[in-house]
Amino acid sequence: MKRLAVLISGRGSNLDALLSAIQRHGWPIAVVAVISNRPNAPGLEIARAKGIATEVLDHTQFQNRKAFDAALAQKLETQSPDLVVLAGFMRLLTAEFCARFRNRLVNIHPSLLPAFKGLETHQQALDAGVRVHGCTVHLVTAELDHGPILAQAIVPVHPDDTAEVLAARVLKMEHEIYPTAIAAWLSGQLMIQDDRIINRGEGAFPTEFRSCRLHPDLA
Ligand code: GRF
């Protein structure tokens, strides 16, 4: 059984999609902890409702980023996670933390990286006038929204889109690609070579993994 720890800050829809996918597919993956840096994150309720252990590590109670990350790392290590999943965890992580969990830390970012790093990615996409947008699952390095890419999903941008409408279109695809990318990584189907992800085509358990997903309107 592979052990996952999930870090959240808010809504938790990716956490919900992950828990549902693990159950639906019967993957040998256990979410051993959900940790939020915000005490009122709605995602905590999602985890509790599914019987997952939750913890709060309130960043406002720490003197600085380094102290918070050290406490977080310590808490995580007690769970011996095979992978730490960032699911809407809205904090920058120190280089020390990223190094400690090197190749054991994964994130989903709501853009087609390397385009539109940082916040408000959907508005960035609209402002740039791009015709396609999407989301990216990647291993986390010390550099913001950077690191070897496991999977991407592409959605169309329509002329009358608002940031909210576009965000909803992307989020639906996030919920599809994040769980399968995580399962593929944990099953050994994916490996890292020269800072890039190689798909070996088979792993210890089936994942229906596709490294590039198209929104149905583009297929
Ligand atoms: C998602 O859009 C994710 O890509 C970004 O933060 C958002 C989290 O949403 N990193 P949720 O908390 O999973 O609903």
Side-chain angles (χ1 to χ4, degrees), residues 10-15 87-88 90 107-110 171 174:
R11 183 175 57 184
S13 71
N14 276 290
L15 166 68
M90 300 303 287
N107 182 43
I108 187 155
H109 180 75
L171 189 65
E174 292 186 34

Side-chain angles (χ1 to χ4, degrees), residues 24 29 32 34 53 67 69 98 114 122 133 136 141 155 163 199 206-207 211 219:
R24 193 170 63 246
I29 298 173
V32 293
V34 171
D69 279 13
C98 295
H122 310 298
H133 181 45
T136 303
T141 61
V155 308
N199 186 352
T207 62
S211 59

